[in-house]
Amino acid sequence: MPPPPHQKPENVLKRAQELIGVNQAPAALNLLHDHITSKRSRNVPIVSLEPVMLLLVELSVEQKKGKLAKDALYSYKNIAQNTNISTIELVLKKFIELAAEKVTEAQKRADELQSSIEATATENIDDLEASETPESILLATVSGEQSRDRTERAVVTPWLKFLWEAYRTVLDILRNNARLETLYQSTAMQAFDFCLKYQRKTEFRRLCELLRNHVQTAAKYSSQMHAINLNDPDTLQRHLETRFQQLNVAVELELWQEAFRSVEDIHTLLNLSKRPPKNIMMANYYEKLTRIFLVGENYLFHAAAWSRYYTLLRQSAAVVATGQSKKSDNPSATDADLQKAASFVLLSALSIPVISTSRSRGAMVDFDEAKKNKNSRLTHLLGMSTAPTRAGLFRDALSKSLLKRARSEIRDLYNILEVDFHPLSICQKISPILTKIGTDSEMEKYILPLQQVILTRLFQQLSQVYESVDLAFVESLAKFPDPFQISRGTIEKFIMNGNKKGDLSIRMDHATGVLNFDKDVFASSKAVHAGSAAGSAESPGGSVQRLQSTPSEIVRSQLSRLTTTLYTTCFYVDPSLRQRQLEAQQAALTRAKAGAEQEQRETLARKEIIQKRKEEASELQAKREKEKARQKRLQEQALAEAEERRLAQEQKEREEKRLKDERDRVRREELKKQIADLKIGPNALDIDLENIDDLDSNRLRAMKLAQLEREKNDINEKLRITGKRIDHLERAFRKEEVKKLADDYAKQRERDLAAYEKMKEQTLRESKEKHKESVELKHRLSRLMPQYELFRKSLHDRRRDEFEKRQRDAERELEKQITARKKEYRERKLREKREREEKERALREAEERAEREKKEQEQRAEEKRLELARLKEKREKERQETLEKVALQQRREEEAMARRQTEKEKERVPARREAIPMDRTASGSNDRPAGPPRLNLAGAKPSWRDREASKTAAAPAAAASSNGPPSRSSTPMERTDSNERASGPPRLNLPGAKSSWRDREAAKAAQGSSSGAGGPRDTRDSRDSREPREPRRDSRDRDSAPAPAPAQASAETLKPSGAPGKWVPRRLRESQG
């Protein structure tokens, strides 16, 4: 089936609203979900999709369809994350707000139900089960829970679950986009508040793990576009604020394991941060650490955390006093706060147990590897370089003058436990202090570890005074005020634990009830040391006062005491020993001074070498790391590409398998439907569904057709038999019926007549009764007619007056409307008239402007035409002048050529045959040369022989008539022999043609021979021959050019020269003739 056509978001939104209007909200939700998740919606503008998404969110929250909302929100985020971030924030905030509102409404509804149930229970009503179903009664009987718990679980819990899923969905959507980071952090804060408000501890654990996974994912995919950058100070600061809130909520919910993990997360982020954290945040950090360590009974690090907290308070007070930081960025550091912190630092340090709880007797190391790793982690969490110790904490406290700032009872407690030596009155002196501490709820938690420390000090001091002591006496010494009393069993358990851990060496004799302190010379130095029973929490040189050394100490220090005594004796026996030692010391100093400078230079040189080697090593290491990173990046890229190809191939295979399975499923369903059809009816076929894969549609179709044919034949046969049987039966019925028809007709007629009479009688009776009642009603109502008429008349008059009044008002209103309409009509007509006049005036102005522009254009065209005519006339005149000059130049050239030709002929040796003149008069045939007659037609061109003869004859004629131009006459034609001219083809002396090189050479020779006798005329001719000629024109220009005006020379019209080869146009000849 093809997918439905894609619709516009506006149409989808309209259709969804229509479905909501007819109470089909689930259908509307499915429609919106399909539109948002469609691939075609990726190219739709975000502005159009936003209303669709908001409506989808509302419907999904109302119907608790969290999965549909999640899919739609993921699709919408992928569509809008690269173009519009604000719309994603708007939709997600709307989703959270609606879910939170539903939880609030559910809580109110649960309260109302509970109040109604309580009110119903207080009243003694009959139906006690009206507000409860049998299922709820059975559940209450089995579980024994209260009514309020059941109500909240039925009404509030589903919406709480939906709200929790909404928070998870929003956090998953926002986790990997840096531009949505602010909304991500605010949503996490809201989720923390949700867990704290409704005491959802399980959900809080899941939320912490979810946020932890998101940070790991952000660090893993930091190279993607818009990825979370943990190196950004602002981003890291927001994550720190979120983790601090997580820590606060974990402490409030008393989830100490999650609180410790949150502390580790904060420490990791602090190490990544390039910006120092605020003091108020670190104060909160250390304060929460104190609570975590106290719950975990890790008193050593609990005291160290209090010490760090007190140090931070002192630094904050100093910074605020000097004005180097804002007061809002630092915790409150008043005298009361400092006194409280100092008291807790000292009390927590005193509460550190001195007996170790992590190793057995005889162990050679303090901690195993796991304990070392744990202490190292805790040390780093506190920001300390070395692991804290009990003695180190006391030294730090004394250096900061904590005793002066702490409370007096805490100061007295320190002096009793760590300074004074009073084994018989230690518990008696501490009892009032414990009573004061017990009144404080915050300090009451330290009494139990303090009792362990007090018992430790008691046995340490007793071991220095007594070798054995009665257990009852010890029990009388270990007296504590109520309610902190300890039993004899507790004391024995403490002694056994101390012996087991190797911190005490006491033997208990239960028969006599005596405690024996071990005085063995070869006993463990740790156990018998009077002041070293502090285990891992106290240094060997403890703070307990020592009265005397034990036998084991005497034996162990015997050799050292002997060495010291012998060394002292040497000074008394040999007084020069001291002098020799001084001289040796002085010589050593002299040698040191002499080699100090050289040693310093060597040291500096060695330092420079070491520095260079360090730099080279660092550069080499950087190169290696860079190369390794490049190789790793290439490897990751190759792995990513391979993974992408593998995923694409798997996706392709899955898609092909899905399509194949879908086709098989469709085919099986069709086959099953066909088989089910074949199994219907009496002629049903028994087909095994297990072998359905062996069947095909054609075979089933043939089986179905055969079955239908059999059913058809069976039905036709049954119908034939049944019809025959019914026909015989009906015939028999009719034969018997004919006999009884007359009697039956008579009986039926009697029954009909009786029924008619009965109906007639009943109808008459009812009519009489109805008439009687109507008459009585008329008589009753006739008495009311006068009053009715009066009322009717008064009502008619009143309504007539009211109608007339309304009519007058309506007429007045009509007049007003008519007047207003007339006024409006007149104003509209005037306005239309003005507009029409304005339009006409504008049209008229436009026409005048167009006419004026047209006239101006015509005038410009006329001026242009006249200008062109003048220019044309001027150019024509110039052309005529040019033509006249050209004609004159050509005549001069011809005359010069004729003269040169004549001179050449005179110089030739062979005699020249004279040309016989051809007279075209009425002469006989004997007067002209032989050959065909020549016709001197108008416009006929002379032959080349005629032109050569003309040139020959023109030379003497030019010499004879040099004063004027020669007259045009019949030129005699002279035919020369072939020997008298140059070899080659005949030369045509065409108009405008240039002379050949032979002619030019001949002219030069003639000019050279006649240079002495030529005179000025030859000079003029040669000059004329050198004048430039007009360029040759095209025949079309000659034909189209007008006839040139005859040039005037010496006040006479130029006559044709009659030179051979000069062509004159016909129109010029006609005009001249």
Side-chain angles (χ1 to χ4, degrees), residues 593-696:
K593 288 180 180 180
E597 186 176 356
Q598 180 66 22
E599 186 177 357
Q600 184 180 7
R601 286 196 299 269
E602 292 176 355
T603 303
L604 293 177
R606 186 168 62 253
K607 184 178 180 182
E608 291 178 359
I609 294 173
I610 293 172
Q611 187 66 25
K612 289 181 180 180
R613 289 179 180 177
K614 285 183 178 179
E615 292 176 358
E616 292 175 357
S618 62
E619 291 178 359
L620 183 60
Q621 182 67 19
K623 289 181 180 179
R624 289 177 181 173
E625 291 178 356
K626 187 176 180 181
E627 181 66 21
K628 188 184 297 183
R630 188 181 68 83
Q631 294 293 337
K632 184 178 179 181
R633 186 169 61 253
L634 292 176
Q635 185 178 3
E636 290 178 354
Q637 185 177 0
L639 291 175
E641 293 177 356
E643 183 69 16
E644 290 179 0
R645 290 194 297 270
R646 185 184 65 79
L647 292 176
Q649 184 66 23
E650 290 181 355
Q651 179 67 20
K652 184 178 179 181
E653 293 176 356
R654 285 196 299 269
E655 187 66 20
E656 292 177 354
K657 184 179 178 181
R658 186 186 65 80
L659 293 176
K660 182 180 178 182
D661 295 342
E662 185 68 20
R663 287 193 294 268
D664 295 342
R665 185 185 63 80
V666 173
R667 187 178 65 83
R668 286 196 191 93
E669 289 180 356
E670 292 179 355
L671 293 177
K672 287 180 180 179
K673 289 180 181 179
Q674 294 179 7
I675 292 173
D677 294 339
L678 292 176
K679 289 184 177 181
I680 298 174
N683 298 325
L685 299 177
D686 189 10
I687 300 175
D688 190 7
L689 294 178
E690 295 180 357
N691 300 326
I692 193 172
D693 295 333
D694 299 335
L695 300 175
D696 56 353

Side-chain angles (χ1 to χ4, degrees), residues 288-561:
K288 294 301 184 295
L289 271 179
T290 58
R291 299 180 64 177
I292 294 171
F293 288 139
L294 181 61
V295 172
E297 295 183 356
N298 193 337
Y299 298 103
L300 177 62
F301 285 93
H302 170 72
W306 270 118
S307 178
R308 296 288 293 171
Y309 179 77
Y310 176 76
T311 303
L312 187 64
L313 285 184
R314 290 183 59 191
Q315 293 175 358
S316 301
V319 169
V320 172
T322 56
Q324 297 179 6
S325 178
K326 297 180 181 179
K327 190 174 182 180
S328 59
D329 295 341
N330 294 275
S332 177
T334 60
D335 293 339
D337 296 329
L338 291 173
Q339 182 183 9
K340 179 180 177 182
S343 301
F344 275 102
V345 170
L346 200 56
L347 182 60
S348 60
L350 291 173
S351 302
I352 299 173
V354 290
I355 294 181
S356 174
T357 58
S358 61
R359 59 187 177 86
S360 300
R361 180 181 176 89
M364 299 304 294
V365 293
D366 287 339
F367 302 98
D368 55 4
E369 194 66 26
K371 190 67 176 179
K372 285 183 178 180
N373 293 336
K374 179 181 178 182
N375 287 345
S376 177
R377 286 171 58 195
L378 298 181
T379 303
H380 289 310
L381 289 180
L382 290 173
M384 303 174 70
S385 58
T386 58
T389 59
R390 193 171 189 272
L393 291 175
F394 280 126
R395 287 195 301 270
D396 186 53
L398 293 176
S399 64
K400 296 175 183 178
S401 303
L402 280 176
L403 291 176
K404 298 180 180 178
R405 195 177 288 273
R407 290 164 54 176
S408 58
E409 59 269 19
I410 306 299
R411 189 164 53 248
D412 296 339
L413 181 63
Y414 171 76
N415 292 328
I416 293 172
L417 290 177
E418 303 297 330
V419 179
D420 298 337
F421 185 88
H422 35 67
L424 301 181
S425 62
I426 181 172
C427 294
Q428 184 180 358
K429 293 181 179 180
I430 289 178
S431 294
I433 300 176
L434 292 180
T435 304
K436 291 183 180 180
I437 292 176
T439 57
D440 192 342
S441 59
E442 295 181 357
M443 294 184 176
E444 186 180 2
K445 304 172 184 178
Y446 297 99
I447 291 181
L448 183 60
L450 279 175
Q451 288 178 344
Q452 302 293 321
V453 176
I454 293 170
L455 290 177
T456 303
R457 294 304 186 202
L458 176 63
F459 286 111
Q460 286 176 351
Q461 295 177 10
L462 287 176
S463 65
Q464 296 188 57
V465 178
Y466 301 100
E467 292 183 358
S468 63
V469 66
D470 192 4
L471 183 59
F473 177 70
V474 173
E475 186 177 357
S476 64
L477 293 178
K479 291 287 185 180
F480 295 100
D482 294 330
F484 311 116
Q485 288 286 353
I486 59 174
S487 61
R488 182 171 181 175
T490 304
I491 298 174
E492 292 181 0
K493 183 178 180 181
F494 175 78
I495 295 172
M496 292 301 102
N497 184 52
N499 289 333
K500 179 181 178 181
K501 302 301 179 182
D503 292 290
L504 295 178
S505 183
I506 302 175
R507 294 182 180 181
M508 181 180 297
D509 189 353
H510 289 278
T512 59
V514 176
L515 297 178
N516 297 315
F517 297 100
D518 195 356
K519 299 300 181 181
D520 188 5
V521 175
F522 302 102
S524 173
S525 60
K526 179 72 173 64
V528 300
H529 195 284
S532 64
S536 62
E538 196 172 61
S539 61
S543 59
V544 180
Q545 296 295 329
R546 296 175 57 190
L547 298 181
Q548 58 184 350
S549 299
T550 61
S552 60
E553 289 179 346
I554 295 173
V555 172
R556 188 170 58 253
S557 61
Q558 183 177 2
L559 293 177
S560 60
R561 289 188 289 106

Side-chain angles (χ1 to χ4, degrees), residues 34 78 124 191 224 351 380 519 525 640 730 794 801 895 931 982 991:
D34 294 340
N78 294 331
N124 188 12
Q224 294 181 352
S351 302
H380 289 310
K519 299 300 181 181
S525 60
E730 184 66 22
S794 62
D801 296 340
E895 291 173 358

Side-chain angles (χ1 to χ4, degrees), residues 33 36-37 53-54 56-57 60 66-80 87-88 90-93 95-96 165-166 169-170 173:
H33 176 264
I36 291 294
T37 56
M53 196 63 205
L54 292 175
L56 185 145
V57 166
S60 62
K67 190 174 185 305
L68 290 179
K70 183 177 181 180
D71 295 341
L73 288 172
Y74 267 108
S75 300
Y76 189 69
K77 177 224 175 185
N78 294 331
I79 294 172
T87 181
I88 300 177
L90 176 63
V91 172
L92 295 179
K93 287 180 180 178
F95 184 46
I96 295 295
E165 292 296 334
T169 300
V170 173
I173 291 173

Side-chain angles (χ1 to χ4, degrees), residues 43-105:
N43 299 325
V44 177
I46 301 301
V47 179
S48 303
L49 278 181
E50 184 175 324
V52 177
M53 196 63 205
L54 292 175
L55 182 59
L56 185 145
V57 166
E58 293 179 3
L59 293 178
S60 62
V61 172
E62 289 178 359
Q63 302 175 28
K64 296 182 184 178
K65 299 292 184 181
K67 190 174 185 305
L68 290 179
K70 183 177 181 180
D71 295 341
L73 288 172
Y74 267 108
S75 300
Y76 189 69
K77 177 224 175 185
N78 294 331
I79 294 172
Q81 67 178 349
N82 294 326
T83 56
N84 193 351
I85 293 298
S86 59
T87 181
I88 300 177
E89 296 180 354
L90 176 63
V91 172
L92 295 179
K93 287 180 180 178
K94 183 72 172 178
F95 184 46
I96 295 295
E97 289 175 1
L98 292 175
E101 289 176 0
K102 288 295 181 181
V103 172
T104 306
E105 293 176 2

Side-chain angles (χ1 to χ4, degrees), residues 949-974:
S950 298
K951 290 180 181 179
T952 306
S961 59
S962 59
N963 296 329
S967 61
R968 184 180 181 88
S969 64
S970 175
T971 305
M973 298 180 64
E974 180 181 0

